[in-house]
Amino acid sequence: MIGNILKQALLHVRRQPLEFEVAGCAQIFDDIDQFSAFLDLRVEVPAATAQHLAALDSQTLNREARHVARAYRNAVDIMVRSAETGQSVVRLWRQLDISRVPEDHDWPSILFAVGNASQFADGLHRTALAHYIRYLDARRNLVESLQYQLRKVEAIGNEPVVPMSMRGVMEQEPRFTTTRHSVYARLPRRRSITIDLDSRTNLTLYLARNRFVLKQDSGSLKLFGQNGVTYPLHTGRNSIGRSSQCDVRVETTQSDISREHLWIEIDEDGRIRLTDLSSRGTYVPPELLGSRSSDAAKSPDLLH
């Protein structure tokens, strides 16, 4: 009897819409899945913030690195403590230091609203915190990349250059030239590009500076790494990156590959779509980008 009452109460809670006020605007979600999709759009560093960080001097960038590292540790500590002690994230939420939260994507407002929504299950808070950690990780990776570029510039005494990690943000048509003198163009970020493998035997693409080959093998599509490892792909969405949550987890030693770097989507008809999610870029032969590729004719040996 009591068990049935509890089950009905839980079902009632799950049907409750999630309603928050974020930055003065009401946000209503039918369920946690919708809320998660809303947060998925807020885990990458905005272009304006990336440009601002790229313009910082070494000392200011070091301060930013310390600041984001503290925010990251604070958020991760809550998740770890919840796993170790069995306490709910709701109970531990007060330990989240809102004063350290970056302003991007209205994260302070989102986390404050979630913290005040104690009537909802622990999954809501856990979902918000997991996405926030992903955002901090992306910001930390970007800052570390900028620091590395600045150290290189200072070491050789040249004028500052556009960091590799920022070329997709700060250049209209970024280009990447391999040691074989083949030109590649960066995929537009978070925009799907459809490719046709029927017109070619394989496709070479670069995740940052790491070479991969996408091709049909024994009737199925596979991704071949430069270290000889073969990654089978399945119909639907294949996430590629360093994270253990990705469908294709590449070697963790390749630190310039993002935790979730690229989506390769294969539909039932065999069409293939590529979507870049990274801060360091995914590069493909320029002709795949259509009118954006004015240099395609200059580089006949794009597949190798």
Side-chain angles (χ1 to χ4, degrees):
M1 179 71 174
I2 295 177
N4 289 334
I5 293 173
L6 287 174
K7 185 181 291 186
Q8 291 174 4
L10 285 173
L11 289 173
H12 176 71
V13 169
R14 288 188 188 123
R15 292 193 188 106
Q16 276 189 302
L18 312 176
E19 185 171 355
F20 308 114
E21 183 173 312
V22 176
C25 299
Q27 300 286 346
I28 302 176
F29 309 97
D30 290 337
D31 50 35
I32 290 182
D33 288 340
Q34 279 193 6
F35 181 54
S36 180
F38 170 78
L39 296 180
D40 278 339
L41 303 175
R42 287 159 173 76
V43 297
E44 296 289 343
V45 180
T49 298
Q51 290 176 346
H52 168 72
L53 293 173
L56 297 179
D57 58 36
S58 179
Q59 185 176 1
T60 309
L61 199 58
N62 289 340
R63 282 201 301 271
E64 170 63 27
R66 292 193 295 270
H67 180 86
V68 73
R70 286 195 296 268
Y72 181 83
R73 285 196 301 270
N74 174 231
V76 169
D77 282 348
I78 293 173
M79 292 291 262
V80 171
R81 187 168 300 179
S82 174
E84 290 179 344
T85 66
Q87 295 183 75
S88 68
V89 174
V90 177
R91 292 281 302 275
L92 297 170
W93 196 262
R94 63 182 180 276
Q95 297 177 18
L96 185 65
D97 189 351
I98 299 294
S99 68
R100 292 179 176 172
V101 178
E103 295 291 337
D104 292 339
H105 300 308
D106 296 314
W107 271 114
S109 183
I110 291 170
L111 296 175
F112 181 79
V114 170
N116 286 332
S118 58
Q119 74 272 27
F120 295 112
D122 186 58
L124 174 71
H125 296 71
R126 192 174 296 274
T127 297
L129 192 59
H131 282 79
Y132 174 55
I133 289 171
R134 286 175 59 194
Y135 166 73
L136 291 175
D137 193 37
R139 189 179 180 109
R140 186 179 62 169
N141 285 338
L142 174 59
V143 170
E144 288 176 354
S145 176
L146 292 169
Q147 286 179 304
Y148 172 74
Q149 293 294 331
L150 277 178
R151 286 195 296 269
K152 275 181 59 176
V153 169
E154 290 169 356
I156 62 178
N158 286 343
E159 290 296 318
V161 296
V162 178
M164 282 299 300
S165 61
M166 295 307 304
R167 291 188 179 182
V169 175
M170 302 182 70
E171 296 180 13
Q172 194 66 26
E173 290 194 9
R175 290 292 185 267
F176 166 63
T177 304
T178 71
T179 55
R180 303 184 185 195
H181 308 293
S182 297
V183 178
Y184 284 77
R186 182 172 180 169
L187 286 175
R189 202 174 191 188
R190 290 194 171 276
R191 282 177 49 199
S192 296
I193 297 296
T194 302
I195 64 173
D196 178 16
L197 274 190
D198 292 338
S199 62
R200 59 180 80 224
T201 57
N202 56 49
L203 169 67
T204 298
L205 63 157
Y206 283 82
L207 276 57
R209 293 273 177 171
N210 304 281
R211 182 175 180 269
F212 290 83
V213 177
L214 184 65
K215 66 179 180 180
Q216 296 282 354
D217 182 65
S218 302
S220 61
L221 193 66
K222 295 179 182 178
L223 188 67
F224 295 84
Q226 58 191 4
N227 53 3
V229 178
T230 302
Y231 305 99
L233 303 176
H234 56 76
T235 301
R237 177 181 294 171
N238 299 265
S239 55
I240 318 295
R242 291 188 293 115
S243 171
S244 60
Q245 303 301 315
C246 289
D247 300 297
V248 172
R249 184 185 183 187
V250 299
E251 288 188 358
T252 55
T253 54
Q254 297 168 315
S255 58
D256 54 340
I257 294 178
S258 297
R259 292 181 182 274
E260 188 176 25
H261 196 106
L262 173 70
W263 286 345
I264 300 177
E265 297 177 86
I266 309 167
D267 65 20
E268 297 292 343
D269 297 325
R271 284 190 296 267
I272 301 166
R273 286 186 297 276
L274 305 179
T275 307
D276 176 50
L277 307 170
S278 68
S279 59
R280 293 170 174 82
T282 299
Y283 295 83
V284 298
E287 67 266 20
L288 293 183
L289 303 186
S291 60
R292 288 170 55 89
S293 323
S294 58
D295 298 338
K298 301 179 185 178
S299 189
D301 185 28
L302 290 172
L303 291 174
H304 49 274

mmCIF file with all atom_site columns, all heavy atoms in Angstrom, residues 281-301:
data_model
loop_
_atom_site.group_PDB
_atom_site.id
_atom_site.type_symbol
_atom_site.label_atom_id
_atom_site.label_alt_id
_atom_site.label_comp_id
_atom_site.label_asym_id
_atom_site.label_entity_id
_atom_site.label_seq_id
_atom_site.pdbx_PDB_ins_code
_atom_site.Cartn_x
_atom_site.Cartn_y
_atom_site.Cartn_z
_atom_site.occupancy
_atom_site.B_iso_or_equiv
_atom_site.pdbx_formal_charge
_atom_site.auth_seq_id
_atom_site.auth_comp_id
_atom_site.auth_asym_id
_atom_site.auth_atom_id
_atom_site.pdbx_PDB_model_num
ATOM 1   N N   . GLY A 1 281 ? 39.422 22.405 -33.496 1.00 0.00 ? 281 GLY A N   1
ATOM 2   C CA  . GLY A 1 281 ? 39.061 22.278 -34.892 1.00 0.00 ? 281 GLY A CA  1
ATOM 3   C C   . GLY A 1 281 ? 39.149 20.887 -35.485 1.00 0.00 ? 281 GLY A C   1
ATOM 4   O O   . GLY A 1 281 ? 39.947 20.058 -35.083 1.00 0.00 ? 281 GLY A O   1
ATOM 5   N N   . THR A 1 282 ? 38.275 20.663 -36.471 1.00 0.00 ? 282 THR A N   1
ATOM 6   C CA  . THR A 1 282 ? 38.327 19.482 -37.329 1.00 0.00 ? 282 THR A CA  1
ATOM 7   C C   . THR A 1 282 ? 38.513 19.985 -38.752 1.00 0.00 ? 282 THR A C   1
ATOM 8   O O   . THR A 1 282 ? 37.766 20.857 -39.206 1.00 0.00 ? 282 THR A O   1
ATOM 9   C CB  . THR A 1 282 ? 37.024 18.666 -37.232 1.00 0.00 ? 282 THR A CB  1
ATOM 10  O OG1 . THR A 1 282 ? 36.841 18.214 -35.887 1.00 0.00 ? 282 THR A OG1 1
ATOM 11  C CG2 . THR A 1 282 ? 37.066 17.463 -38.160 1.00 0.00 ? 282 THR A CG2 1
ATOM 12  N N   . TYR A 1 283 ? 39.494 19.442 -39.444 1.00 0.00 ? 283 TYR A N   1
ATOM 13  C CA  . TYR A 1 283 ? 39.868 19.941 -40.769 1.00 0.00 ? 283 TYR A CA  1
ATOM 14  C C   . TYR A 1 283 ? 39.612 18.881 -41.823 1.00 0.00 ? 283 TYR A C   1
ATOM 15  O O   . TYR A 1 283 ? 39.938 17.706 -41.640 1.00 0.00 ? 283 TYR A O   1
ATOM 16  C CB  . TYR A 1 283 ? 41.337 20.362 -40.778 1.00 0.00 ? 283 TYR A CB  1
ATOM 17  C CG  . TYR A 1 283 ? 41.608 21.545 -39.877 1.00 0.00 ? 283 TYR A CG  1
ATOM 18  C CD1 . TYR A 1 283 ? 41.808 21.367 -38.509 1.00 0.00 ? 283 TYR A CD1 1
ATOM 19  C CD2 . TYR A 1 283 ? 41.624 22.834 -40.378 1.00 0.00 ? 283 TYR A CD2 1
ATOM 20  C CE1 . TYR A 1 283 ? 42.033 22.457 -37.675 1.00 0.00 ? 283 TYR A CE1 1
ATOM 21  C CE2 . TYR A 1 283 ? 41.847 23.925 -39.559 1.00 0.00 ? 283 TYR A CE2 1
ATOM 22  C CZ  . TYR A 1 283 ? 42.050 23.731 -38.202 1.00 0.00 ? 283 TYR A CZ  1
ATOM 23  O OH  . TYR A 1 283 ? 42.267 24.805 -37.379 1.00 0.00 ? 283 TYR A OH  1
ATOM 24  N N   . VAL A 1 284 ? 39.026 19.312 -42.963 1.00 0.00 ? 284 VAL A N   1
ATOM 25  C CA  . VAL A 1 284 ? 38.662 18.412 -44.053 1.00 0.00 ? 284 VAL A CA  1
ATOM 26  C C   . VAL A 1 284 ? 39.128 19.048 -45.361 1.00 0.00 ? 284 VAL A C   1
ATOM 27  O O   . VAL A 1 284 ? 39.450 20.239 -45.414 1.00 0.00 ? 284 VAL A O   1
ATOM 28  C CB  . VAL A 1 284 ? 37.135 18.172 -44.086 1.00 0.00 ? 284 VAL A CB  1
ATOM 29  C CG1 . VAL A 1 284 ? 36.652 17.505 -42.808 1.00 0.00 ? 284 VAL A CG1 1
ATOM 30  C CG2 . VAL A 1 284 ? 36.382 19.485 -44.331 1.00 0.00 ? 284 VAL A CG2 1
ATOM 31  N N   . PRO A 1 285 ? 39.148 18.273 -46.470 1.00 0.00 ? 285 PRO A N   1
ATOM 32  C CA  . PRO A 1 285 ? 39.455 18.875 -47.772 1.00 0.00 ? 285 PRO A CA  1
ATOM 33  C C   . PRO A 1 285 ? 38.507 20.034 -48.068 1.00 0.00 ? 285 PRO A C   1
ATOM 34  O O   . PRO A 1 285 ? 37.292 19.922 -47.849 1.00 0.00 ? 285 PRO A O   1
ATOM 35  C CB  . PRO A 1 285 ? 39.239 17.706 -48.742 1.00 0.00 ? 285 PRO A CB  1
ATOM 36  C CG  . PRO A 1 285 ? 39.551 16.491 -47.928 1.00 0.00 ? 285 PRO A CG  1
ATOM 37  C CD  . PRO A 1 285 ? 39.005 16.803 -46.555 1.00 0.00 ? 285 PRO A CD  1
ATOM 38  N N   . PRO A 1 286 ? 39.018 21.148 -48.562 1.00 0.00 ? 286 PRO A N   1
ATOM 39  C CA  . PRO A 1 286 ? 38.190 22.356 -48.727 1.00 0.00 ? 286 PRO A CA  1
ATOM 40  C C   . PRO A 1 286 ? 36.977 22.177 -49.617 1.00 0.00 ? 286 PRO A C   1
ATOM 41  O O   . PRO A 1 286 ? 35.965 22.844 -49.415 1.00 0.00 ? 286 PRO A O   1
ATOM 42  C CB  . PRO A 1 286 ? 39.173 23.377 -49.328 1.00 0.00 ? 286 PRO A CB  1
ATOM 43  C CG  . PRO A 1 286 ? 40.517 22.902 -48.898 1.00 0.00 ? 286 PRO A CG  1
ATOM 44  C CD  . PRO A 1 286 ? 40.436 21.411 -48.883 1.00 0.00 ? 286 PRO A CD  1
ATOM 45  N N   . GLU A 1 287 ? 37.043 21.273 -50.622 1.00 0.00 ? 287 GLU A N   1
ATOM 46  C CA  . GLU A 1 287 ? 35.905 21.153 -51.534 1.00 0.00 ? 287 GLU A CA  1
ATOM 47  C C   . GLU A 1 287 ? 34.655 20.647 -50.833 1.00 0.00 ? 287 GLU A C   1
ATOM 48  O O   . GLU A 1 287 ? 33.541 20.821 -51.326 1.00 0.00 ? 287 GLU A O   1
ATOM 49  C CB  . GLU A 1 287 ? 36.243 20.232 -52.714 1.00 0.00 ? 287 GLU A CB  1
ATOM 50  C CG  . GLU A 1 287 ? 36.453 18.768 -52.347 1.00 0.00 ? 287 GLU A CG  1
ATOM 51  C CD  . GLU A 1 287 ? 37.904 18.424 -52.096 1.00 0.00 ? 287 GLU A CD  1
ATOM 52  O OE1 . GLU A 1 287 ? 38.683 19.362 -51.831 1.00 0.00 ? 287 GLU A OE1 1
ATOM 53  O OE2 . GLU A 1 287 ? 38.257 17.254 -52.156 1.00 0.00 ? 287 GLU A OE2 1
ATOM 54  N N   . LEU A 1 288 ? 34.796 20.039 -49.661 1.00 0.00 ? 288 LEU A N   1
ATOM 55  C CA  . LEU A 1 288 ? 33.618 19.575 -48.919 1.00 0.00 ? 288 LEU A CA  1
ATOM 56  C C   . LEU A 1 288 ? 32.795 20.731 -48.378 1.00 0.00 ? 288 LEU A C   1
ATOM 57  O O   . LEU A 1 288 ? 31.628 20.558 -48.041 1.00 0.00 ? 288 LEU A O   1
ATOM 58  C CB  . LEU A 1 288 ? 34.036 18.668 -47.764 1.00 0.00 ? 288 LEU A CB  1
ATOM 59  C CG  . LEU A 1 288 ? 34.663 17.321 -48.131 1.00 0.00 ? 288 LEU A CG  1
ATOM 60  C CD1 . LEU A 1 288 ? 34.953 16.520 -46.879 1.00 0.00 ? 288 LEU A CD1 1
ATOM 61  C CD2 . LEU A 1 288 ? 33.755 16.530 -49.056 1.00 0.00 ? 288 LEU A CD2 1
ATOM 62  N N   . LEU A 1 289 ? 33.401 21.900 -48.302 1.00 0.00 ? 289 LEU A N   1
ATOM 63  C CA  . LEU A 1 289 ? 32.700 23.062 -47.753 1.00 0.00 ? 289 LEU A CA  1
ATOM 64  C C   . LEU A 1 289 ? 32.107 23.942 -48.843 1.00 0.00 ? 289 LEU A C   1
ATOM 65  O O   . LEU A 1 289 ? 31.677 25.058 -48.587 1.00 0.00 ? 289 LEU A O   1
ATOM 66  C CB  . LEU A 1 289 ? 33.649 23.881 -46.873 1.00 0.00 ? 289 LEU A CB  1
ATOM 67  C CG  . LEU A 1 289 ? 34.286 23.113 -45.721 1.00 0.00 ? 289 LEU A CG  1
ATOM 68  C CD1 . LEU A 1 289 ? 35.089 24.048 -44.843 1.00 0.00 ? 289 LEU A CD1 1
ATOM 69  C CD2 . LEU A 1 289 ? 33.246 22.382 -44.897 1.00 0.00 ? 289 LEU A CD2 1
ATOM 70  N N   . GLY A 1 290 ? 32.111 23.462 -50.078 1.00 0.00 ? 290 GLY A N   1
ATOM 71  C CA  . GLY A 1 290 ? 31.438 24.171 -51.162 1.00 0.00 ? 290 GLY A CA  1
ATOM 72  C C   . GLY A 1 290 ? 32.052 25.513 -51.457 1.00 0.00 ? 290 GLY A C   1
ATOM 73  O O   . GLY A 1 290 ? 33.258 25.666 -51.634 1.00 0.00 ? 290 GLY A O   1
ATOM 74  N N   . SER A 1 291 ? 31.214 26.540 -51.469 1.00 0.00 ? 291 SER A N   1
ATOM 75  C CA  . SER A 1 291 ? 31.642 27.884 -51.876 1.00 0.00 ? 291 SER A CA  1
ATOM 76  C C   . SER A 1 291 ? 32.630 28.498 -50.914 1.00 0.00 ? 291 SER A C   1
ATOM 77  O O   . SER A 1 291 ? 33.300 29.467 -51.235 1.00 0.00 ? 291 SER A O   1
ATOM 78  C CB  . SER A 1 291 ? 30.425 28.811 -51.998 1.00 0.00 ? 291 SER A CB  1
ATOM 79  O OG  . SER A 1 291 ? 29.749 28.894 -50.756 1.00 0.00 ? 291 SER A OG  1
ATOM 80  N N   . ARG A 1 292 ? 32.745 27.950 -49.701 1.00 0.00 ? 292 ARG A N   1
ATOM 81  C CA  . ARG A 1 292 ? 33.701 28.487 -48.728 1.00 0.00 ? 292 ARG A CA  1
ATOM 82  C C   . ARG A 1 292 ? 35.128 28.160 -49.131 1.00 0.00 ? 292 ARG A C   1
ATOM 83  O O   . ARG A 1 292 ? 36.077 28.717 -48.606 1.00 0.00 ? 292 ARG A O   1
ATOM 84  C CB  . ARG A 1 292 ? 33.436 27.880 -47.342 1.00 0.00 ? 292 ARG A CB  1
ATOM 85  C CG  . ARG A 1 292 ? 32.185 28.367 -46.669 1.00 0.00 ? 292 ARG A CG  1
ATOM 86  C CD  . ARG A 1 292 ? 31.907 27.521 -45.451 1.00 0.00 ? 292 ARG A CD  1
ATOM 87  N NE  . ARG A 1 292 ? 33.057 27.493 -44.546 1.00 0.00 ? 292 ARG A NE  1
ATOM 88  C CZ  . ARG A 1 292 ? 33.277 28.361 -43.579 1.00 0.00 ? 292 ARG A CZ  1
ATOM 89  N NH1 . ARG A 1 292 ? 32.432 29.356 -43.405 1.00 0.00 ? 292 ARG A NH1 1
ATOM 90  N NH2 . ARG A 1 292 ? 34.314 28.249 -42.779 1.00 0.00 ? 292 ARG A NH2 1
ATOM 91  N N   . SER A 1 293 ? 35.316 27.218 -50.093 1.00 0.00 ? 293 SER A N   1
ATOM 92  C CA  . SER A 1 293 ? 36.630 26.683 -50.388 1.00 0.00 ? 293 SER A CA  1
ATOM 93  C C   . SER A 1 293 ? 37.187 27.255 -51.677 1.00 0.00 ? 293 SER A C   1
ATOM 94  O O   . SER A 1 293 ? 37.074 26.661 -52.731 1.00 0.00 ? 293 SER A O   1
ATOM 95  C CB  . SER A 1 293 ? 36.565 25.161 -50.507 1.00 0.00 ? 293 SER A CB  1
ATOM 96  O OG  . SER A 1 293 ? 35.683 24.626 -49.586 1.00 0.00 ? 293 SER A OG  1
ATOM 97  N N   . SER A 1 294 ? 37.724 28.426 -51.638 1.00 0.00 ? 294 SER A N   1
ATOM 98  C CA  . SER A 1 294 ? 38.296 29.028 -52.830 1.00 0.00 ? 294 SER A CA  1
ATOM 99  C C   . SER A 1 294 ? 39.648 28.450 -53.170 1.00 0.00 ? 294 SER A C   1
ATOM 100 O O   . SER A 1 294 ? 40.151 28.646 -54.270 1.00 0.00 ? 294 SER A O   1
ATOM 101 C CB  . SER A 1 294 ? 38.434 30.544 -52.625 1.00 0.00 ? 294 SER A CB  1
ATOM 102 O OG  . SER A 1 294 ? 39.248 30.804 -51.495 1.00 0.00 ? 294 SER A OG  1
ATOM 103 N N   . ASP A 1 295 ? 40.285 27.708 -52.233 1.00 0.00 ? 295 ASP A N   1
ATOM 104 C CA  . ASP A 1 295 ? 41.618 27.182 -52.460 1.00 0.00 ? 295 ASP A CA  1
ATOM 105 C C   . ASP A 1 295 ? 41.608 25.742 -52.943 1.00 0.00 ? 295 ASP A C   1
ATOM 106 O O   . ASP A 1 295 ? 42.656 25.148 -53.142 1.00 0.00 ? 295 ASP A O   1
ATOM 107 C CB  . ASP A 1 295 ? 42.437 27.227 -51.155 1.00 0.00 ? 295 ASP A CB  1
ATOM 108 C CG  . ASP A 1 295 ? 42.611 28.638 -50.663 1.00 0.00 ? 295 ASP A CG  1
ATOM 109 O OD1 . ASP A 1 295 ? 42.483 29.547 -51.484 1.00 0.00 ? 295 ASP A OD1 1
ATOM 110 O OD2 . ASP A 1 295 ? 42.877 28.810 -49.460 1.00 0.00 ? 295 ASP A OD2 1
ATOM 111 N N   . ALA A 1 296 ? 40.435 25.149 -53.157 1.00 0.00 ? 296 ALA A N   1
ATOM 112 C CA  . ALA A 1 296 ? 40.379 23.718 -53.452 1.00 0.00 ? 296 ALA A CA  1
ATOM 113 C C   . ALA A 1 296 ? 41.140 23.361 -54.717 1.00 0.00 ? 296 ALA A C   1
ATOM 114 O O   . ALA A 1 296 ? 41.839 22.353 -54.777 1.00 0.00 ? 296 ALA A O   1
ATOM 115 C CB  . ALA A 1 296 ? 38.925 23.274 -53.583 1.00 0.00 ? 296 ALA A CB  1
ATOM 116 N N   . ALA A 1 297 ? 41.014 24.202 -55.752 1.00 0.00 ? 297 ALA A N   1
ATOM 117 C CA  . ALA A 1 297 ? 41.661 23.877 -57.009 1.00 0.00 ? 297 ALA A CA  1
ATOM 118 C C   . ALA A 1 297 ? 43.170 23.963 -56.930 1.00 0.00 ? 297 ALA A C   1
ATOM 119 O O   . ALA A 1 297 ? 43.892 23.411 -57.755 1.00 0.00 ? 297 ALA A O   1
ATOM 120 C CB  . ALA A 1 297 ? 41.146 24.821 -58.107 1.00 0.00 ? 297 ALA A CB  1
ATOM 121 N N   . LYS A 1 298 ? 43.701 24.670 -55.934 1.00 0.00 ? 298 LYS A N   1
ATOM 122 C CA  . LYS A 1 298 ? 45.138 24.826 -55.810 1.00 0.00 ? 298 LYS A CA  1
ATOM 123 C C   . LYS A 1 298 ? 45.807 23.624 -55.188 1.00 0.00 ? 298 LYS A C   1
ATOM 124 O O   . LYS A 1 298 ? 47.015 23.550 -55.137 1.00 0.00 ? 298 LYS A O   1
ATOM 125 C CB  . LYS A 1 298 ? 45.440 26.070 -54.950 1.00 0.00 ? 298 LYS A CB  1
ATOM 126 C CG  . LYS A 1 298 ? 44.870 27.357 -55.531 1.00 0.00 ? 298 LYS A CG  1
ATOM 127 C CD  . LYS A 1 298 ? 45.195 28.510 -54.591 1.00 0.00 ? 298 LYS A CD  1
ATOM 128 C CE  . LYS A 1 298 ? 44.544 29.799 -55.082 1.00 0.00 ? 298 LYS A CE  1
ATOM 129 N NZ  . LYS A 1 298 ? 44.814 30.926 -54.154 1.00 0.00 ? 298 LYS A NZ  1
ATOM 130 N N   . SER A 1 299 ? 45.023 22.698 -54.660 1.00 0.00 ? 299 SER A N   1
ATOM 131 C CA  . SER A 1 299 ? 45.593 21.587 -53.911 1.00 0.00 ? 299 SER A CA  1
ATOM 132 C C   . SER A 1 299 ? 45.061 20.257 -54.423 1.00 0.00 ? 299 SER A C   1
ATOM 133 O O   . SER A 1 299 ? 44.107 19.719 -53.897 1.00 0.00 ? 299 SER A O   1
ATOM 134 C CB  . SER A 1 299 ? 45.268 21.720 -52.420 1.00 0.00 ? 299 SER A CB  1
ATOM 135 O OG  . SER A 1 299 ? 45.970 20.794 -51.665 1.00 0.00 ? 299 SER A OG  1
ATOM 136 N N   . PRO A 1 300 ? 45.627 19.719 -55.538 1.00 0.00 ? 300 PRO A N   1
ATOM 137 C CA  . PRO A 1 300 ? 45.074 18.517 -56.154 1.00 0.00 ? 300 PRO A CA  1
ATOM 138 C C   . PRO A 1 300 ? 45.235 17.273 -55.303 1.00 0.00 ? 300 PRO A C   1
ATOM 139 O O   . PRO A 1 300 ? 44.469 16.332 -55.452 1.00 0.00 ? 300 PRO A O   1
ATOM 140 C CB  . PRO A 1 300 ? 45.860 18.408 -57.450 1.00 0.00 ? 300 PRO A CB  1
ATOM 141 C CG  . PRO A 1 300 ? 47.161 19.116 -57.164 1.00 0.00 ? 300 PRO A CG  1
ATOM 142 C CD  . PRO A 1 300 ? 46.810 20.211 -56.238 1.00 0.00 ? 300 PRO A CD  1
ATOM 143 N N   . ASP A 1 301 ? 46.231 17.235 -54.422 1.00 0.00 ? 301 ASP A N   1
ATOM 144 C CA  . ASP A 1 301 ? 46.500 16.012 -53.654 1.00 0.00 ? 301 ASP A CA  1
ATOM 145 C C   . ASP A 1 301 ? 45.922 16.123 -52.260 1.00 0.00 ? 301 ASP A C   1
ATOM 146 O O   . ASP A 1 301 ? 46.633 16.078 -51.267 1.00 0.00 ? 301 ASP A O   1
ATOM 147 C CB  . ASP A 1 301 ? 48.003 15.770 -53.589 1.00 0.00 ? 301 ASP A CB  1
ATOM 148 C CG  . ASP A 1 301 ? 48.341 14.444 -52.918 1.00 0.00 ? 301 ASP A CG  1
ATOM 149 O OD1 . ASP A 1 301 ? 47.510 13.524 -52.997 1.00 0.00 ? 301 ASP A OD1 1
ATOM 150 O OD2 . ASP A 1 301 ? 49.408 14.356 -52.310 1.00 0.00 ? 301 ASP A OD2 1
#
